[in-house]
Amino acid sequence: MIYNKAIESMNLAQMQELQLERLKELVKRVYEKVPFYKKKFDRAGVKPENIQTLADISKLPFTTKGEMRETFPYGLLACSLDDVIEIHTSSGTTGTPVVAGYTENDRTLWSEVMARCLAMAGADKTDTLQNAYGYGLFTGGLGVHHGAGPLGTTIIPISSGNTQKQLQYMQDFKSTVLTCTPSYSLFMAEVANEMGLDFRDFDLKAGIFGAEPWSDNMRVEIEKKLNLKAYDIYGLTEIIGPGVSCECEEQNGLHINEDFFYPEIIDAETGEVLPEGEKGELVFTTLSREGTPLIRYRTRDITWLFRDNCSCGRTTVKMHRLLGRNDDMLIIKGVNVFPSQIENILMKIENTEPHYQIIIDRESTQLDNVELQVEVEENFFSDETKDLEIIRRKIHNEMKQQLGISLNIKLVEPKSIARSMGKARRVIDKRDLPKAGGK
Ligand code: DLL
């Protein structure tokens, strides 16, 4: 079911007309109401009346995460604090968090886009949705929660954690849709196995997973282990939280709610706007946000945009599932690699578990040493060392062949890598380097 057919199936010309109208209004509003933007626009020599076409957006300066931090907590508010009814912050583990303020209209907008996303994954009023994203300042829990309301879906606001109870309730309440991070879903599968439960006896039909990178082959693994269809959902606190985009039944690219979030792809080095189909950094302008509207916000997420004749009937632009983040890209002996590429290869290798970690260290020679730790199946770990050596070599050779990189592979015992109920920590960077792209 398409939740808002008039918008989601709109023809391109009409969509662009709507976007332009909203963009003009937005630019005028932030110029008048937010000194931060007025100063930036003045410095760039651009006035609201200079925005006459959608392409004119490239005249506007970018906004960065660094600027959001510098203006903490309320420097980017475009409305009175009295009109803010909800606040969220990014889940960043270091530094000052970024703050998103929502007015009542923003929350309605959030419910709308999240309802569209849940519907994309097939949810409706007949479903029972177990929401195992964390509730709190993180946008995952409440974002999904806001979207279930307008759809009439029964929501179980269980939050993350308490995994045995999750699984018990999943059976008791006959949950049909699960929402959580992909890594948490795999942990659930593991705990279910320990409890002697079989997902074929559950009622789950769909999982809506996001908030962290995951690969296509990880999807295959999750679908097999949890006996459901797994959909990718994307979003970030700064823009709204979950609900920026989601996969439909085609599972081929995520439809962006582009009437509210205007996407661009730029060359991360030069800032130049790239045409559809080209890979680069994703940038969003929040066309209708009132609390903390953002102009050309650099997400640091890497993907590309495309339009296809999607069989679902939606015409909105799609983004390919994320390749990774600018700041997560590894440079291994001169080759650029995203952790998700390593994951994708790993997931196809037999006798390993879908749990891994990448440890980066720098030797005195200034060369990065990258170790890939991978869990192997229980029976293999206790087996002969020569079997382990075969698996180790296989992983090494596949990485070499497919990515052109040589990694140190370390096979580790099952369940020895820390499990996550939220965002998994896949990369441990022990180098003492200044963070790239700090702004
Ligand atoms: O993670 C919002 C969210 C909650 C999205 C629940 C989906 C589901 P933040 O904590 O601000 O917000 O983190 C945003 O997480 O810039 C991406 O780098 C990453 N991310 C989010 N969704 C995906 C995804 C939420 N589907 C940052 N695939 C973003 C890969 C994702 N990475």
Side-chain angles (χ1 to χ4, degrees), residues 139 210-211 233-245 254 284 301 319 423:
T139 51
I233 183 166
Y234 168 81
L236 61 163
T237 314
E238 297 91 313
I239 300 303
I240 194 87
V244 173
S245 64
L254 294 82
F284 280 110
D301 291 326
M319 55 185 259
K423 294 177 190 251

Side-chain angles (χ1 to χ4, degrees), residues 90-91 133 138-140 209-214 232-238 241-242 254 299 301 322 325 423:
S90 73
S91 48
Y133 283 116
F138 172 56
T139 51
F209 303 122
E212 63 180 7
W214 56 310
D232 194 4
I233 183 166
Y234 168 81
L236 61 163
T237 314
E238 297 91 313
L254 294 82
T299 64
D301 291 326
L322 284 198
R325 289 177 63 75
K423 294 177 190 251

Side-chain angles (χ1 to χ4, degrees), residues 290-301:
E290 294 178 341
T292 37
L294 286 176
I295 304 281
R296 305 192 82 203
Y297 182 70
R298 293 188 63 158
T299 64
R300 299 199 255 179
D301 291 326

Side-chain angles (χ1 to χ4, degrees), residues 332-337 341 345 396-407:
I332 305 175
K333 298 189 181 117
V335 182
N336 297 355
V337 184
Q341 291 174 283
I345 295 171
H396 183 270
N397 293 345
E398 289 293 321
M399 296 293 163
K400 180 101 199 153
Q401 236 173 41
Q402 298 191 42
L403 299 175
I405 52 169
S406 193
L407 295 176

Side-chain angles (χ1 to χ4, degrees), residues 194-311:
E194 283 164 7
M195 291 166 72
L197 303 173
D198 185 337
F199 275 100
R200 281 172 299 191
D201 302 328
F202 285 53
D203 296 89
L204 288 180
K205 62 172 191 189
I208 309 175
F209 303 122
E212 63 180 7
W214 56 310
S215 59
D216 259 327
N217 289 330
M218 174 72 94
R219 185 211 307 269
V220 174
E221 193 76 21
I222 292 175
E223 291 191 333
K224 199 167 63 190
K225 284 200 149 85
L226 278 89
N227 191 36
L228 47 65
K229 200 165 162 180
Y231 297 86
D232 194 4
I233 183 166
Y234 168 81
L236 61 163
T237 314
E238 297 91 313
I239 300 303
I240 194 87
V244 173
S245 64
C246 190
E247 282 180 338
C248 63
E249 67 252 26
E250 267 208 4
Q251 294 174 306
N252 170 33
L254 294 82
H255 287 281
I256 299 176
N257 286 306
E258 60 174 323
D259 53 324
F260 292 129
F261 314 120
Y262 183 79
E264 296 173 89
I265 295 287
I266 60 161
D267 178 318
E269 297 295 320
T270 64
E272 181 203 348
V273 179
L274 300 176
E276 269 176 25
E278 277 191 40
K279 190 170 76 181
E281 181 179 340
L282 187 57
V283 168
F284 280 110
T285 297
T286 60
L287 296 174
S288 302
R289 286 292 305 276
E290 294 178 341
T292 37
L294 286 176
I295 304 281
R296 305 192 82 203
Y297 182 70
R298 293 188 63 158
T299 64
R300 299 199 255 179
D301 291 326
I302 307 294
T303 184
W304 65 88
L305 302 176
F306 61 101
R307 290 181 193 270
D308 56 1
N309 273 328
C310 194
S311 62

